[in-house]
Amino acid sequence: LKQLNADEAPRPAKVLVVEDNEVNQMILFRYITKANEAADVLIAANGEIAIEMVRKQQFDLILMDMEMPVMDGLTATKRIRALG
């Protein structure tokens, strides 16, 4: 854990939700932002989109659905981990 100085504010958590179901996307978005109003939550509808997003920016947490069209969560997770 990083200790913060008195003048240093914690930055908002950056969360990527990878989920193809729009209802689940909405539920997860609301749940996360209710727990942490400052959270920066982005949504990817499939694993392929998630990989492109991870290539462009860093996330503190990725919530990955396992069964999605285009690219499933297991394949996407393996490819994201391979990015280093």
Side-chain angles (χ1 to χ4, degrees):
L1 292 172
K2 179 186 175 202
Q3 289 187 337
L4 300 175
N5 297 325
D7 61 338
E8 203 178 7
R11 66 175 177 75
K14 194 161 198 168
V15 180
L16 176 60
V17 173
V18 188
E19 170 64 61
D20 61 317
N21 182 289
E22 291 181 17
V23 173
N24 290 344
Q25 290 173 358
M26 185 176 56
I27 290 169
L28 286 165
F29 181 86
R30 287 184 181 169
Y31 184 79
I32 294 164
T33 55
K34 184 176 180 181
N36 181 352
E37 290 178 6
D40 184 11
V41 181
L42 292 118
I43 307 286
N46 63 59
E48 191 173 272
I49 295 169
I51 291 169
E52 290 306 312
M53 293 175 78
V54 170
R55 284 187 176 137
K56 294 177 183 174
Q57 54 195 309
Q58 290 186 330
F59 293 93
D60 298 304
L61 175 66
I62 300 174
L63 299 174
M64 182 78 69
D65 183 11
M66 297 308 291
E67 295 181 16
M68 295 177 287
V70 183
M71 182 184 297
D72 66 90
L74 187 59
T75 302
T77 299
K78 287 178 183 177
R79 292 187 183 176
I80 288 170
R81 287 181 177 171
L83 294 174

